[in-house]
Each structure stands twice: as C-alpha cells, then as structure tokens.
Amino acid sequence: MQAPSAIAFDVGPSRDCAACPRLVEYRDANRAAFPDWSNAPVPSFGKASARLLIVGLAPGLRGANRTGRPFTGDYAGDLLYQTLLRYGFASGVYDRRPDDGLELVDCAIVNAVRCAPPQNKPTPQEIRTCRAYLTQSIGALPRLRAVLALGRVAHETVLRAFGARSAELPFAHGARHALKPAGVMLFDSYHCSRYNTNTGVLTDTMFQSVFAAIRAELDCS
C-alpha cells in the first residue's frame, strides 16, 4: 500500500456529472464555444497527506474551468500560489498551466462547487448538492489539521460539512475557529479575487497574515 504522501488527493464528481441542470447547461455551452478548454468539474489538487485544506468558491470560467486545476489561469491563482510558495505550502514555479510542475506541500485545494457557474455565482442548491464531495474530500485527509475558507460561502459550507453551526462561528477575515470534536482549526480569509484586491477589500499583507497564522498553527501541532 502506498503511503498517504504518495497518493493523489482527488475526490469529486465525474466529468459529465448531471446533478445540477443549470451548471450542466452552462458547461455544455462552454464546451461548444471553447472546445479546447477543460469545461468539466475541476478535481481537487494535492496529496492525501495534506494537513491544510484550502476551500474556494467555484472554478473561474477562464481560470480553473479552462485549465482543469484549481485556481490556475487567473488572478486569484496568481495571488494564492505565490503566497503558498512564500509560506512553504508549494514548491516549484507557478506558470498558470496545469503542467507547470508546481507541487503542493502539506496542502490540498478544492472548491465548494466543482463546476463553473454563470457569473461566478452558484445557487444555494448547487452549493448543497456539491457539499457531498467536500465532505468526502475532508474524510480523505487523515492528517487534516487546518482548513482555510476563502470567502463567506466557503466558510459556511465547510461548517455544514463538519456539522457545525454558522451562527456560533461567524465569518470574518482573519478569524479562526476550533471545529470540535474534529480537532481541526478553521481559518477565514476574504477571497483572493481580483475584485477584492482591486477594491482594497483584501491586500497582500492581509492575505499573508492569514497564511502566517496557519503556518504557525501547523508548526506547533
């Protein structure tokens, strides 16, 4: 049997998952318009040995939906991967391509919704439907100690996946919440989208401070 460090972390729907009709219609339209793109549910990225799980919202149309790797090909990925490299959660070089050789270190990445939604806005029903894959992903990480939720939607669906109540653990940038009895710490950050950075909602310093806290948490555990 392979050690967890050697096992690719990939828990998610099939390429032609039909669970969400609106997303299927959008996916089919994009396959017709952009036949060279991935245009499929984006698989998770990382190894089963990861202690940190990063949860985003959904694939960007011209980012992960195009490339087939989470946060790859758009500005959000530029900021996320440069920060992961800075704090030792990735190695190699990020070049906006799934074959750039970048590897995650003690880290895995998934999206709350695996298919690209129209206008980057999944519906509550689509989030609920895809939560089963998030729950399975969490269960596939036996060494999990920390989860980073990028944005309020990711925060709330992570809480539900752990059976926690959002009213007791509110979202706030830089917040941290102990998920009991799982023994996992949930960290919150505003999403690293271009909109948030352009408007000053999220700065590089704010984003790095969250990863510094995660790094300290894992180094002490």
Side-chain angles (χ1 to χ4, degrees):
M1 178 180 295
Q2 288 181 303
S5 60
I7 301 173
F9 171 64
D10 186 8
V11 179
S14 66
R15 177 173 175 80
D16 294 311
C17 176
C20 301
R22 189 182 76 116
L23 299 187
V24 171
E25 181 179 3
Y26 191 56
R27 184 175 68 211
D28 288 346
N30 287 321
R31 285 179 177 177
F34 310 107
D36 295 335
W37 292 9
S38 175
N39 293 315
V42 175
S44 48
F45 180 31
K47 298 289 197 309
S49 58
R51 292 185 297 161
L52 168 63
L53 177 63
I54 298 173
V55 182
L57 174 58
L61 175 62
R62 298 181 180 275
N65 176 70
R66 176 174 60 85
T67 64
R69 191 177 73 179
F71 288 93
T72 298
D74 56 18
Y75 176 80
D78 293 349
L79 178 54
L80 176 61
Y81 285 118
Q82 76 177 22
T83 308
L84 291 176
L85 287 162
R86 179 186 182 99
Y87 286 93
F89 290 113
S91 65
V93 176
Y94 172 68
D95 193 28
R96 288 194 168 199
R97 298 178 292 108
D99 60 350
D100 55 14
L102 182 88
E103 294 188 0
L104 297 182
V105 179
D106 205 15
C107 174
I109 304 175
V110 300
N111 278 310
V113 174
R114 301 300 181 93
C115 294
Q119 300 178 329
N120 290 323
K121 295 180 180 179
T123 67
Q125 179 59 48
E126 290 160 356
I127 296 167
R128 286 193 294 271
T129 298
C130 221
R131 190 176 300 133
Y133 294 110
L134 175 61
T135 301
Q136 292 175 38
S137 296
I138 291 169
L141 298 172
R143 301 178 67 239
L144 185 64
R145 293 295 178 269
V147 177
L148 170 59
L150 296 176
R152 185 181 302 276
V153 172
H155 167 90
E156 292 179 351
T157 199
V158 166
L159 291 182
R160 287 174 172 80
F162 277 93
R165 294 170 56 88
S166 57
E168 298 173 355
L169 305 172
F171 173 83
H173 179 81
R176 53 192 294 171
H177 308 282
L179 299 176
K180 301 176 181 180
V184 172
M185 190 69 71
L186 172 62
F187 293 81
D188 289 339
S189 173
Y190 293 131
H191 195 282
C192 49
S193 66
R194 182 181 292 275
Y195 176 83
N196 281 347
T197 56
N198 281 352
T199 58
V201 170
L202 179 69
T203 65
D204 288 2
T205 299
M206 291 168 63
F207 201 49
Q208 290 171 14
S209 68
V210 174
F211 278 91
I214 294 171
R215 180 82 272 169
E217 174 73 21
L218 294 181
D219 286 350
C220 290
S221 64

